[in-house]
Amino acid sequence: MPGTILICGHDYQLLHTRSLVLALMGREVVAASSDVDIEKIPPAPPVELAVIGHSLVDKKQRELAELIRKRWSAAKILYLVKMLETPTQISDAEFVCGSTDPKLLIEMCRRILDEYSPHQGQAWGSRD
């Protein structure tokens, strides 16, 4: 069973819209706007990808990422920012990407979930 996608943010309308967009990927999507919401999410199926929206300040984004990693250590994190043309890998399992294009969001989530493995030895974005 594939893991869950967790979408985090404070803008409820945007959170709902992104949840609907990500559900098109055929995975379970859960939304959270606080630490308390994240703590209420059942441990299984595990969160495989957490998408943290730009409506959260940088410090809060990092705090939520830390909490998510404590609960689901293998979770990958995608930070959404307002202005970024090129999706970028910023650490072993953390990525950043612009948040305005729903097609780009789906593409990035698919790539992270389907292609990324820390054991592949490939640079992000390279293809065989």
Side-chain angles (χ1 to χ4, degrees):
M1 174 186 230
T4 299
I5 297 174
L6 168 61
I7 180 87
C8 302
H10 280 310
D11 182 327
Y12 295 105
Q13 187 172 12
L14 194 52
L15 200 60
H16 178 72
T17 302
R18 286 189 179 138
S19 294
L20 293 173
V21 167
L22 292 173
L24 296 173
M25 294 176 58
R27 293 182 180 252
E28 180 180 0
V29 178
V30 294
S33 59
S34 70
D35 303 27
V36 174
D37 291 344
I38 291 171
E39 292 288 349
K40 291 179 184 177
I41 299 169
V47 168
E48 191 173 358
L49 173 64
V51 179
I52 301 178
H54 66 76
S55 64
L56 299 165
V57 295
D58 187 58
K59 181 180 177 188
K60 189 62 177 178
Q61 286 183 332
R62 295 288 177 189
E63 288 172 1
L64 290 181
E66 189 175 310
L67 175 61
I68 291 161
R69 284 272 169 65
K70 283 181 184 174
R71 296 211 54 216
W72 303 280
S73 61
K76 298 167 187 83
I77 308 291
L78 174 59
Y79 299 99
L80 299 180
V81 295
K82 287 185 179 182
M83 304 273 197
L84 183 67
E85 295 284 325
T86 306
T88 305
Q89 182 176 357
I90 57 175
S91 73
D92 283 346
E94 292 186 321
F95 307 83
V96 64
C97 135
S99 64
T100 57
D101 184 350
K103 289 180 185 177
L104 177 62
L105 177 59
I106 290 173
E107 178 187 336
M108 273 300 293
C109 289
R110 278 201 176 112
R111 289 184 64 199
I112 291 168
L113 290 167
D114 298 340
E115 296 176 18
Y116 172 76
S117 168
H119 307 294
Q120 284 181 320
Q122 293 180 303
W124 176 250
S126 69
R127 297 179 186 255
D128 287 3

